[in-house]
Amino acid sequence: KMRNLTTLIFLCFTAFHLNAQKTGDLFDASYVHDIRFTFEQKNWMEQLDSLRINGDNMLLGKVIIDGTTYDKVGITYAQTQTYLTAGKRNPWYIKLNYIDKKQNHQGYKAFTISQALRDPSMVREVLGYEMARKYMPAPLANHVNLTVNGENRGVHVNVEAINEDFLQKNFQNTEGVFLDYKYNCSESK
């Protein structure tokens, strides 16, 4: 019963914030942003599964963030352990500047959308990063309502990409060893 009550409260909170005016930062946690993906390929799920399993490439798609449209965006399933083949709530990695290197949304070139699979409250990740930022550099995070090819996939967690932009913002430097989310070690420029 407590789980149902928590879910009901969260859904009411989400519905209220989905109707709020969306003019703030992409990671403003005071409301739920609206993000929509559109793929032209009929078999886009199979292509994304194949890319996730066999390579590091991305599928081109269109992304609409709070009404602002971005074409030729790189989209793939994120490299996490919560990925499931043909899963409807897989984690996503979005690279707005995949083709057009200048394309960004409010200065953000990439972000990850997590499904918070092991968190029925949908708040642990956002609150965890918020607490961590009080003591060390940590990514920004908030909630988004995700729609893929017209199908509403529900509320997800939006997390700032840990990339060279993150390093520059937090350390004013992008040089040195960088351990990425796939646990690969690489040398920055």
Side-chain angles (χ1 to χ4, degrees):
K1 290 181 181 183
M2 183 58 134
R3 189 176 191 174
N4 290 341
L5 179 60
T6 303
T7 303
L8 178 63
I9 291 169
F10 182 74
L11 290 174
C12 289
F13 171 82
T14 301
F16 172 78
H17 285 295
L18 282 175
N19 293 322
Q21 184 179 9
K22 308 215 176 13
T23 59
D25 185 82
L26 177 60
F27 294 100
D28 182 352
S30 67
Y31 56 82
V32 178
H33 288 272
D34 184 56
I35 296 182
R36 299 169 183 267
F37 301 158
T38 304
F39 299 101
E40 291 183 14
Q41 302 86 345
K42 297 268 187 233
N43 63 341
W44 60 270
M45 280 185 81
E46 292 84 7
Q47 288 185 37
L48 284 171
D49 283 333
S50 178
L51 290 171
R52 167 63 169 72
I53 294 166
N54 300 314
D56 289 332
N57 291 329
M58 303 183 98
L59 192 61
L60 284 181
K62 178 171 68 171
V63 174
I64 302 171
I65 303 171
D66 294 329
T68 304
T69 302
Y70 300 95
D71 291 314
K72 297 182 181 173
V73 173
I75 303 170
T76 191
Y77 290 134
Q79 297 286 335
T80 69
Q81 293 178 346
T82 58
Y83 163 81
L84 295 171
T85 303
K88 288 222 175 218
R89 285 194 60 88
N90 277 323
W92 301 85
Y93 180 73
I94 297 86
K95 192 168 183 181
L96 295 171
N97 67 339
Y98 186 63
I99 299 294
D100 178 357
K101 299 302 177 199
K102 294 180 182 179
Q103 186 165 258
N104 68 80
H105 183 79
Q106 301 171 346
Y108 300 103
K109 298 174 190 168
F111 53 96
T112 301
I113 296 180
S114 164
Q115 78 281 37
L117 186 64
R118 295 182 179 100
D119 178 12
S121 70
M122 297 283 296
V123 297
R124 285 186 215 154
E125 199 166 5
V126 175
L127 290 177
Y129 284 132
E130 184 177 332
M131 288 187 295
R133 282 193 304 276
K134 294 186 184 297
Y135 305 101
M136 64 183 170
L140 298 168
N142 67 339
H143 294 97
V144 298
N145 185 53
L146 180 65
T147 302
V148 181
N149 273 21
E151 180 184 351
N152 189 317
R153 298 287 178 99
V155 176
H156 286 63
V157 177
N158 181 31
V159 180
E160 178 182 17
I162 299 177
N163 55 17
E164 288 186 352
D165 294 334
F166 177 86
L167 296 176
Q168 184 65 44
K169 178 176 82 173
N170 290 284
F171 301 104
Q172 296 72 49
N173 189 346
T174 61
E175 297 190 14
V177 175
F178 179 70
L179 300 172
D180 72 10
Y181 65 95
K182 295 183 215 172
Y183 307 105
N184 294 328
C185 201
S186 62
E187 195 73 25
S188 293
K189 296 178 192 175

